Amino acid sequence: MQVHKHDAIIIGAGGAGLMAALYASKGGADVAVVSKLYPTRSHTGTAQGGIGAALGNLDEDKPIYHTYDTVKGGDYLTDQHAAKILAENAVDAVIELEHMGLPFDRTSEKRISQRRFGGHTRNFGEQLVRRACHAADRTGHMILQTLYQQCIKNEVSFFDEFQVVDMIVVDGVCAGVVAIELGTGEFHIFHGKASFFATGGWGRCWSVTSNAHSLTGDGAAIALRRGLPLEDMEFFQFHPTGIYRMGILITEGVRGEGGVLINSQGERFMERYAPNAKDLASRDVVSRAIYLETRAGRSIKNRGYVHLDVRPGTVNRYFAEEGRDRGDFIDDATVERKLPDILDFCRTYLGVDPVKEPMPVQPTAHYAMGGIPTNVDAEVIIDAAGNVMPGAYAAGETACVSVHGANRLGTNSLVDLVVFGRRGGMKVAEFVKGADWVPLPSDAGAEIRAEFDRIRGGSGSSRPGELRAKMQATMMDNIGVFRTEETLQQGISDLAELRERFHKDLQIDDKSRVFNTDLMEAWELGCLLDLADVTARAAFERKESRGAHSREDFKRRDDENWLAHSLVSHDGNLASPSYAVNFDKKVDLSLWEEEIRQGLPEDQQKFRPKERVY
Ligand SMILES: Cc1cc2nc3c(=O)[nH]c(=O)nc-3n(C[C@H](O)[C@H](O)[C@H](O)COP(=O)(O)OP(=O)(O)OC[C@H]3O[C@@H](n4cnc5c(N)ncnc54)[C@H](O)[C@@H]3O)c2cc1C
């Protein structure tokens, strides 16, 4: 096996990986980025909405308000100290991106333009504020391009289309990773003082998702298999309006322009669930409503979707009912002008023209709040006490700092990438200066090679495609927007059966070595199965509703018993692991504690967890 030696190995070339690589190299480390995709194809490139930072260019804004929104949005499971760092560092991170050349949109005074987004407020919820900085609707794309150019300038080495499949842990220290070069099928060892996981999310566990095909949670699954716990896995955000079956995101802007959700009876059902905000209620509320309509047999053609109707005739009829000014009424040209990308998606992928027909939509799995636990310097932690695994780092969607708590606020993921990618990169540069090389074990890579031989050589009757479809269906039905003890048990037993077939009865069709996507997708399915399983287990144990985790049998948030992070781990037995879930990791409530120290009366304590009724 070829061995590559670099101070720091960064796994993943999305926003988090590139920021970490840039800062580790600026700090003097010899850095290699290993990525299964060509860097600029990473999912970060699809982010449209923007990146939140309290620049205050258009409205009065302060990092403390951003901190508050982040904590409240996370339903108080957010670690408050981490949220404060996120909000404070966001300001100079965005200005730094601008100085690197990122072409943000401008205000008339030539400052970075900002726009409104759900949950962004000033003065602790008083009023909406413009905080999301954007480059047209291509903010993520611009971040990726900018950071990639900077990494090239800083002489970071790139190993594109190398897929990491295992980590090498020697006596509790991470000594590198094992990867497969996709173009040849050869195994390579990357020996590093620091290994940094920035491999993104795992929306592909569900059948309907906004996530790219590549988002199979490889990094988190590898960490889990090597004995690391995963944090807060029960929290996965569903966005209410994905294109039916494809999951491609349809922006909230459609409803912002007057679009309404309609069930099979022709009823605007959100009037029943959220009489004030109606179709513009928060993402989790709308997602739950669509699911309830489906369960009640009122989805269109009983197929689990509803209509999102933005036809001027429909919109204007509701506007008239609400007594809206005639000046607000829309026509075909308004829809064309304001929603060009959405029209384009629907016409291209669905053959549906939203000006003439309603769009079929359903909730789509969108974002992982949980992941590999880290501290605020991206060091991977191994237990509730916060002890770290030397040499292991993580940031971005695969990590859990935790700044998103139980539910991520819009535009906060991009902030998370640049803020904690940067902090992690700096920490890595410092670490590699002092750390000794850990010698590689003589059998490094042998175990994972054997696992690939097993997958390639399997002669069973189960094809990965069938198992994947079954996993995605059970995740959607049983561990989706709503959960109950019954659905979770069903999900857990379905997953156990699929796992059994994956490990004992698998067969793939392509046995070759070069660009064997059949083989790699089979291995990725194993990662998804592991993550689906831990999601189900953690969701089963958390007997309350909080943020994106909605239990019909425990409808209230219960701070007395459940204001804690979950840590789930498995015993390393791939075929039939046993799991342990604990809730020993405390939520960092430092800002609230500070308010108490200052002697603020209860009604003035902004960061005190406030009960929310579901
Ligand atoms: C459609 C969509 C729109 C979004 N819009 C917004 C928005 O407007 N604002 C916002 O804040 N957030 C948004 N998000 C969320 C946000 O974009 C993501 O959470 C974020 O970009 C993840 O970045 P990352 O660096 O963690 O990983 P990614 O950008 O997903 O990159 C993962 C990297 O890891 C590599 N990788 C994965 N597995 C392996 C492996 N085994 N070996 C080697 N390399 C590997 C991949 O090649 C890739 O380079 C959106 C998400 C989606 C899906």
Side-chain angles (χ1 to χ4, degrees):
M1 253 185 270
Q2 217 175 309
V3 178
H4 309 263
K5 207 168 168 182
H6 295 271
D7 292 337
I9 316 293
I10 313 285
I11 305 116
L18 293 180
M19 198 67 172
L22 181 60
Y23 267 87
S25 70
K26 279 188 176 181
D30 161 28
V31 181
V33 174
V34 182
S35 177
K36 69 177 179 181
L37 300 175
Y38 184 75
T40 51
R41 295 189 59 204
S42 305
H43 193 74
T44 297
T46 67
Q48 305 170 348
I51 176 167
L55 302 180
N57 283 353
L58 288 157
D59 299 318
E60 190 214 341
D61 201 4
K62 294 182 188 162
I64 193 70
Y65 302 155
H66 187 181
T67 308
Y68 169 81
D69 293 339
T70 302
V71 169
K72 184 165 179 257
D75 221 353
Y76 297 93
L77 195 72
T78 306
D79 283 333
Q80 300 189 347
H81 171 58
K84 188 161 180 268
I85 290 177
L86 177 95
E88 284 173 354
N89 287 196
V91 175
D92 55 283
V94 164
I95 291 171
E96 187 188 7
L97 287 171
E98 183 197 29
H99 289 180
M100 287 178 192
L102 196 150
F104 282 111
D105 287 2
R106 300 279 155 186
T107 66
S108 50
E109 287 83 39
K110 307 288 179 243
R111 289 162 180 266
I112 294 174
S113 171
Q114 299 186 275
R115 61 179 164 216
R116 288 203 177 89
F117 233 85
H120 295 184
T121 71
R122 76 160 169 254
N123 212 6
F124 310 101
E126 201 178 85
Q127 204 180 343
L128 284 178
V129 72
R130 282 172 283 186
R131 183 180 294 148
C133 311
H134 53 95
D137 54 3
R138 292 185 285 271
T139 313
H141 171 86
M142 295 302 185
I143 290 178
L144 264 188
Q145 299 288 339
T146 304
L147 292 177
Y148 185 48
Q149 288 159 7
Q150 293 290 318
C151 284
I152 297 284
K153 180 175 144 202
N154 252 35
E155 299 187 344
V156 169
S157 308
F158 279 89
F159 292 84
D160 300 336
E161 301 189 332
F162 277 68
Q163 185 155 356
V164 170
V165 289
D166 202 2
M167 68 195 277
I168 302 167
V169 181
V170 184
D171 297 331
V173 178
C174 182
V177 294
V178 186
I180 293 182
E181 182 178 2
L182 300 177
T184 62
E186 298 288 334
F187 282 83
H188 294 245
I189 286 182
F190 288 85
H191 188 192
K193 290 181 178 174
S195 303
F196 195 117
F197 286 88
T199 49
W202 45 91
R204 288 277 147 187
C205 283
W206 287 266
S207 54
V208 177
T209 175
S210 65
N211 283 197
H213 276 278
S214 57
L215 291 175
T216 49
D218 308 2
I222 289 169
L224 180 72
R225 290 165 184 178
R226 286 291 165 198
L228 289 162
L230 297 180
E231 182 172 345
D232 290 342
M233 291 297 287
E234 62 273 39
F235 299 103
F236 202 93
Q237 185 176 73
F238 276 73
H239 192 290
T241 59
I243 293 181
Y244 172 52
R245 293 175 73 176
M246 287 176 231
I248 296 171
L249 215 59
I250 297 197
T251 168
E252 240 156 73
V254 172
R255 284 170 285 143
E257 296 304 332
V260 287
L261 292 162
I262 305 283
N263 64 17
S264 64
Q265 327 264 292
E267 181 200 13
R268 183 186 186 185
F269 56 88
M270 282 312 299
E271 289 178 332
R272 268 190 283 117
Y273 295 95
N276 293 324
K278 295 182 189 153
D279 301 87
L280 278 170
S282 72
R283 284 179 187 180
D284 45 345
V285 173
V286 182
S287 291
R288 273 176 234 146
I290 296 175
Y291 245 65
L292 286 175
E293 289 301 293
T294 300
R295 290 236 189 110
R298 290 192 293 268
S299 66
I300 311 289
K301 296 183 187 161
N302 252 328
R303 286 195 184 150
Y305 67 91
V306 295
H307 276 147
L308 172 57
D309 195 342
V310 73
R311 289 175 298 180
T314 314
V315 172
N316 293 341
R317 183 155 48 82
Y318 284 110
F319 278 179
E321 260 177 35
E322 287 165 9
R324 292 265 287 256
D325 195 279
R326 281 202 81 81
D328 288 347
F329 284 24
I330 61 170
D331 56 20
D332 290 7
T334 326
V335 182
E336 297 276 358
R337 183 165 44 84
K338 294 202 166 167
L339 302 165
D341 273 7
I342 295 306
L343 300 192
D344 203 34
F345 286 154
C346 290
R347 287 170 183 156
T348 307
Y349 298 114
L350 278 176
V352 165
D353 184 349
V355 178
K356 301 197 181 81
E357 300 156 87
M359 294 167 261
V361 296
Q362 71 183 135
T364 185
H366 188 54
Y367 184 84
M369 268 73 73
I372 304 172
T374 70
N375 60 24
V376 292
D377 290 313
E379 294 171 304
V380 171
I381 60 181
I382 56 173
D383 55 28
N387 290 307
V388 306
M389 173 183 272
Y393 295 79
E397 193 170 337
T398 200
C400 179
V401 182
S402 136
V403 283
H404 308 304
N407 190 26
R408 173 174 71 81
L409 208 64
T411 78
N412 259 0
S413 173
L414 294 179
V415 190
D416 178 4
L417 310 182
V418 293
V419 166
F420 292 101
R422 180 168 71 170
R423 289 178 69 92
M426 289 179 186
K427 194 74 189 175
V428 162
E430 183 190 314
F431 173 79
V432 300
K433 277 190 193 127
D436 293 326
W437 285 96
V438 177
L440 290 173
S442 56
D443 62 347
E447 227 177 303
I448 190 68
R449 257 187 124 128
E451 171 65 359
F452 270 86
D453 286 345
R454 179 192 74 78
I455 298 175
R456 188 190 273 110
S459 57
S461 58
S462 302
R463 292 294 198 279
E466 183 212 337
L467 301 185
R468 188 184 311 110
K470 290 205 158 122
M471 169 195 68
Q472 290 173 334
T474 193
M475 289 300 282
M476 207 68 199
D477 291 346
N478 297 311
I479 307 143
V481 172
F482 272 118
R483 295 106 189 245
T484 64
E485 177 151 339
E486 209 185 350
T487 68
L488 290 164
Q489 255 161 356
Q490 181 65 49
I492 288 170
S493 85
D494 290 350
L495 290 167
E497 189 199 319
L498 294 169
R499 173 191 288 289
E500 172 94 7
R501 289 176 61 190
F502 178 82
H503 286 280
K504 310 230 166 95
D505 183 44
L506 194 69
Q507 172 155 200
I508 61 169
D509 295 313
D510 183 355
K511 315 273 181 191
S512 70
R513 294 197 176 266
V514 174
F515 272 118
N516 189 341
T517 52
D518 203 19
L519 176 67
M520 296 319 294
E521 283 177 11
W523 179 79
E524 288 173 343
L525 169 64
C527 295
L528 289 171
L529 280 168
D530 279 4
L531 298 179
D533 226 352
V534 290
T535 302
R537 307 270 167 172
F540 184 84
E541 295 300 333
R542 184 178 286 277
K543 296 178 173 38
E544 65 158 353
S545 288
R546 183 185 296 272
H549 173 63
S550 190
R551 293 267 315 232
E552 281 175 296
D553 41 357
F554 299 97
K555 289 202 160 103
R556 293 176 79 88
R557 200 182 82 205
D558 174 0
D559 289 329
E560 212 160 298
N561 296 303
W562 299 102
L563 185 56
H565 299 290
S566 68
L567 287 179
V568 47
S569 46
H570 90 24
D571 61 1
N573 179 345
L574 284 186
S576 51
S578 55
Y579 292 93
V581 187
N582 74 57
F583 291 86
D584 298 340
K585 188 162 183 272
K586 292 198 170 64
V587 177
D588 174 329
L589 299 168
S590 48
L591 297 177
W592 180 32
E593 285 156 10
E594 179 57 31
E595 291 174 332
I596 293 171
R597 262 196 301 279
Q598 286 171 4
L600 284 185
E602 257 186 37
D603 61 348
Q604 286 175 36
Q605 293 166 8
K606 309 287 187 205
F607 290 94
R608 176 193 181 82
K610 288 174 202 78
E611 170 88 67
R612 200 186 286 174
V613 181
Y614 291 82

